[in-house]
Amino acid sequence: MPKNKMVYQGIRDYSDIEYVARIYIGTPGQPFDILLDTGSPTLWVPDFDCTRCSVKNRFNSSQSSTYRSTNETWDLAYGDGSRANGIFGVDTVVIGDGSDRLVLPRTTFGQAIYENDRMMDGSNFDGILGLGFGEINGATPPLINAMNQGIIKDAIFTVYLQKRGYKDGAPGGSITYGELDKTHCGPVIAYYPLTSATDFFQFKLDSINFGGYMDYSSWQAISDTGTSDIVGPKHIVQRLAKEAGVTYSYSTDTYYIDCDADLPTLNFVIGGITYGITSVCII
């Protein structure tokens, strides 16, 4: 297998909420649709012994000639209330499209024996590919494992997510492993140091401004591809909502706004560079 390579992979979009890619585990490879998540470090898929996961692709270790069991267990809870737990195994993981693939031998991954209702309900993925930092019971994240083995070209990956609206399974972007995405990234790249690499891609957010509201308090923030939400402190969200002129519903704990509202750009300042998010209506 060639070393120090760059791999491109297409991503499928489900209503701009879940972005899913295909991987293979074992020999021969068993297919799994996984959610790309920079907010967690662990790769896991449903195990054949997860009876309530029968609607998903499940990993059958007895069908892989390269599988090795471990004595380690795991239990992961996510910010939206979803949860899964199980055992760790070691096998070959293959990432990528067509002949352009990243082959990762001796990769530790989770085999989910249990998933709660929140994890099961309405999901369009089998498991999760953690692109973050940290180890759980000695399980090295897949990309860090690839770097340690000298398989990928550079210690970098690029995620490009497209907005496709209410479509399921539509082509929705791409991810590159081992090199920058020169097709969708501009010629000038702004590098900014992380303030913590314990679990997340965490950095300092200098300020935020929206219309007449500005706050220069500075906070710690994370970049998380595993969620479609922008989350912030309650007092700041309330100020943003007031500036936008939105209506709050106590019954749903949600703010609502007319689609034809003319909203200003929401600006985040990171490392002295302003990144603007414009409003858009989805029907």
Side-chain angles (χ1 to χ4, degrees):
M1 182 187 70
K3 299 283 185 176
N4 299 319
K5 65 183 300 185
M6 188 276 286
V7 164
Y8 162 93
Q9 182 173 31
I11 297 174
R12 298 194 307 281
D13 177 10
Y14 289 86
S15 299
D16 297 336
I17 296 176
E18 295 172 351
Y19 289 87
V20 176
R22 173 64 60 92
I23 68 169
Y24 298 85
I25 302 177
T27 307
Q30 300 175 38
F32 298 95
D33 292 324
I34 49 89
L35 189 73
L36 302 164
D37 184 23
T38 57
S40 66
T42 306
L43 165 62
W44 66 265
V45 296
D47 187 76
F48 190 75
D49 288 337
C50 181
T51 54
R52 74 194 318 258
C53 307
S54 59
V55 296
K56 298 184 176 185
N57 292 314
R58 296 181 294 173
F59 181 73
N60 189 339
S61 60
S62 66
Q63 300 299 312
S64 174
S65 62
T66 49
Y67 174 79
R68 177 169 60 84
S69 62
T70 75
N71 295 318
E72 303 295 342
T73 61
W74 57 276
D75 190 335
L76 286 171
Y78 297 87
D80 63 352
S82 57
R83 186 168 192 153
N85 59 59
I87 59 175
F88 278 121
V90 178
D91 212 330
T92 298
V93 175
V94 179
I95 300 172
D97 296 330
S99 59
D100 188 22
R101 295 186 173 190
L102 197 64
V103 181
L104 311 178
R106 302 180 301 280
T107 297
T108 301
F109 69 102
Q111 298 164 241
I113 305 299
Y114 169 80
E115 298 181 29
N116 70 354
D117 290 340
R118 178 69 176 175
M119 184 67 77
M120 293 291 300
D121 291 345
S123 64
N124 297 288
F125 57 89
D126 301 313
I128 293 178
L129 174 58
L131 298 170
F133 304 98
E135 295 186 358
I136 298 178
N137 290 345
T140 302
L143 284 193
I144 295 180
N145 180 39
M147 287 184 273
N148 292 342
Q149 295 189 49
I151 295 173
I152 59 177
K153 183 177 180 182
D154 292 306
I156 193 170
F157 65 91
T158 310
V159 181
Y160 168 63
L161 304 179
Q162 289 181 297
K163 190 176 187 63
R164 300 303 307 274
Y166 291 122
K167 296 181 179 180
D168 284 342
S174 60
I175 181 170
T176 58
Y177 303 94
E179 192 172 289
L180 286 172
D181 183 349
K182 295 183 175 63
T183 301
H184 302 105
C185 292
V188 178
I189 306 297
Y191 289 94
Y192 194 58
L194 299 178
T195 54
S196 173
T198 303
D199 295 300
F200 311 112
F201 289 87
Q202 182 175 321
F203 53 91
K204 179 183 176 183
L205 177 63
D206 299 334
S207 64
I208 183 174
N209 64 79
F210 181 68
Y213 170 62
M214 299 181 184
D215 195 315
Y216 298 92
S217 301
S218 181
W219 316 269
Q220 294 296 309
I222 66 171
S223 179
D224 185 2
T225 59
T227 177
S228 59
D229 297 326
I230 298 176
V231 181
K234 185 176 181 179
H235 71 280
I236 294 177
V237 173
Q238 289 175 335
R239 289 292 304 274
L240 293 173
K242 182 179 179 180
E243 188 68 27
V246 300
T247 302
Y248 177 72
S249 168
Y250 286 93
S251 61
T252 61
D253 191 25
T254 303
Y255 290 102
Y256 294 91
I257 190 167
D258 292 335
C259 259
D260 58 357
D262 184 17
L263 295 179
T265 299
L266 175 61
N267 293 307
F268 295 99
V269 181
I270 304 169
I273 300 176
T274 301
Y275 299 89
I277 301 177
T278 56
S279 62
V280 64
C281 180
I282 300 177
I283 299 178

